Amino acid sequence: MVLVTGGAGYIGSHTAVALHEAGFMPVLVDNLHNSKASAVDGVRAIVGEDIPFEAVDICDKAALEALFGRHDFVGVLHFAAHKAVGESMAKPAMYAANNVGGLGVLLEVASAHDLDNIVFSSSCTVYGEPEDMPVAESAPFQRAESPYGWTKQACERVLEDHAAARGAAHVALLRYFNPIGAHPSANIGELPLGVPNNLIPFLTQAVSGIRKALTVFGGDYATPDGTCIRDYLHVMDLAEAHVAALQWCLDQPDDQSVIRPFNLGTGKGASVLEVIQGFERATGQKVPYTMGERREGDVVAIWADPSRAANELGWRTTRSLDTSLADAWRWQEKLNQEGSN
Ligand code: UD1
């Protein structure tokens, strides 16, 4: 069995599907702070099996101990974390306590149970504004722009020290670029509670009339069309990378610690305006948008050099930007039909 913390979240739920497809049984653990149990139902509907779900907060050591007593895990995929950049500016202590503290509790309990295969959700935010593009894993960290970004840097460091101290830990640090889209069945997808911060959920809600026009944050950057550039990848591609990373952990020598960061992206950048055009092309829907001010803390342009993941994990993205956008829209249409968002 594989422990999936944050298993009811956006990336955790899609990864549960990919794990199951690959023959692993995921155990989904979530405190439902920023997610809904309906995501677990969605996973179960896709895989056709009663995937275990445990409503546990990873910061609750006693509850985590009890969980480890109930299941025998071969590895842990650790997604559970707060992830809103703006909120982290207002509540830095909460971000430190949950993201860094939560990892600490998890590692203490996991190592007490000799669980040493760890896949960690990191972010390209650790690079800040990179000097060379595309960005490779060897690029230096910049001072984090936000408390959220700092927690990702700090967690990577905690894992590095933990691996060194354990002597037999296998840790994959997965640095995500911008995951978008949804499972093509539309049983699971991104479920932002409240006003979305991220581009795609805001865009699909604007197209649905739930929000007014999308504001494009800045049209005067030094990029070909003046808008920011990101590396958008399909969430199912990202999910499959986690399975490859878990397998990589399991393949490492038993008596040696290994920790390795991997960039997960397509290797191609798209601007905000290109995403809007791609969405219109892929769905036939018109996107209402206006050009607005720059958003504080935004990096101008970043996309991945994903060659390490290709060479060492045997993973690369297979779904196009248009497919990702069409899947994001199919999911939003389902939410609209249900009247739940
Ligand atoms: C942000 C964080 C990243 C974090 C991720 C998870 C920064 C610099 N990065 O990614 O560390 O892992 O969220 O939530 O904060 N945009 C608009 N209008 C909108 C929303 C977004 O124009 O209403 C633009 C942004 O300026 C950006 C792009 O769309 O250029 C993507 O934004 P978003 O989806 O928020 O992701 P990031 O900012 O890349």
Side-chain angles (χ1 to χ4, degrees):
M1 291 195 154
V2 176
L3 171 57
V4 182
T5 75
Y10 176 42
I11 306 171
S13 58
H14 288 81
T15 300
V17 172
L19 281 168
H20 188 271
E21 243 163 51
F24 293 102
M25 178 53 87
V27 175
L28 307 182
V29 169
D30 207 298
N31 66 358
L32 302 177
H33 171 93
N34 192 30
S35 57
K36 288 189 185 165
S38 59
V40 179
D41 299 333
V43 172
R44 289 174 177 160
I46 293 168
V47 306
E49 207 177 325
D50 199 16
I51 302 292
F53 170 70
E54 304 259 8
V56 166
D57 188 323
I58 52 145
C59 294
D60 181 344
K61 195 170 181 184
L64 210 54
E65 279 284 358
L67 177 82
F68 273 75
R70 288 195 291 278
H71 304 282
D72 195 12
F73 299 121
V74 296
V76 53
L77 274 53
H78 180 43
F79 298 96
H82 295 322
K83 60 159 191 170
V85 173
E87 182 187 52
S88 79
M89 310 261 195
K91 299 177 179 173
M94 184 177 98
Y95 271 65
N98 187 60
N99 293 10
V100 187
L103 174 67
V105 174
L106 175 66
L107 292 179
E108 280 194 291
V109 177
S111 40
H113 291 263
D114 286 324
L115 181 64
D116 278 309
N117 296 308
I118 303 163
V119 178
F120 177 68
S121 292
S122 190
S123 165
C124 68
T125 197
V126 298
Y127 299 118
E129 185 83 62
E131 278 167 21
D132 299 312
M133 295 301 298
V135 65
E137 291 85 353
S138 55
F141 286 8
Q142 309 283 350
R143 186 184 152 81
E145 289 266 2
S146 68
Y148 161 76
W150 176 82
T151 66
K152 291 297 174 191
Q153 293 182 343
C155 285
E156 287 203 9
R157 176 61 196 266
V158 168
L159 283 159
E160 205 179 297
D161 295 344
H162 176 76
R166 283 289 290 171
H170 312 134
V171 184
L173 305 169
L174 302 186
R175 296 181 181 156
Y176 310 155
F177 283 69
N178 288 58
I180 59 168
H183 191 271
S185 68
N187 280 304
I188 51 174
E190 195 166 3
L191 202 56
L193 306 180
V195 182
N197 299 304
N198 295 113
L199 177 62
I200 300 306
F202 198 105
L203 184 156
T204 58
Q205 289 193 9
V207 172
S208 306
I210 298 165
R211 309 279 161 211
K212 285 202 178 141
L214 167 75
T215 304
V216 176
F217 294 144
D220 58 352
Y221 285 105
T223 58
D225 66 18
T227 64
C228 289
I229 296 175
R230 296 287 184 274
D231 185 337
Y232 297 94
L233 75 160
H234 195 292
V235 67
M236 284 310 299
D237 277 330
L238 184 63
E240 288 163 11
H242 288 77
V243 179
L246 174 64
Q247 197 55 59
W248 175 90
C249 290
L250 294 168
D251 290 343
Q252 298 307 309
D254 279 345
D255 56 351
Q256 205 174 305
S257 273
V258 187
I259 177 162
R260 195 115 172 106
F262 295 98
N263 283 342
L264 300 179
T266 64
K268 285 197 276 299
S271 72
V272 180
L273 289 179
E274 283 171 341
V275 169
I276 292 172
Q277 286 153 11
F279 186 88
E280 293 186 339
R281 193 171 53 230
T283 66
Q285 300 290 320
K286 192 102 198 86
V287 178
Y289 73 91
T290 56
M291 300 304 294
E293 296 295 311
R294 293 180 176 194
R295 178 172 67 177
E296 204 191 330
D298 260 345
V299 163
V300 181
I302 185 165
W303 64 94
D305 172 354
S307 49
R308 180 183 287 178
N311 295 334
E312 298 179 23
L313 302 179
W315 171 87
R316 50 178 56 77
T317 58
T318 61
R319 295 147 178 105
S320 69
L321 180 61
D322 283 20
T323 298
S324 308
L325 294 167
D327 286 344
W329 178 238
R330 190 177 302 115
W331 164 246
Q332 181 66 53
E333 280 189 299
K334 170 145 185 261
L335 292 176
N336 293 347
Q337 277 163 17
E338 288 171 354
S340 59
N341 213 333

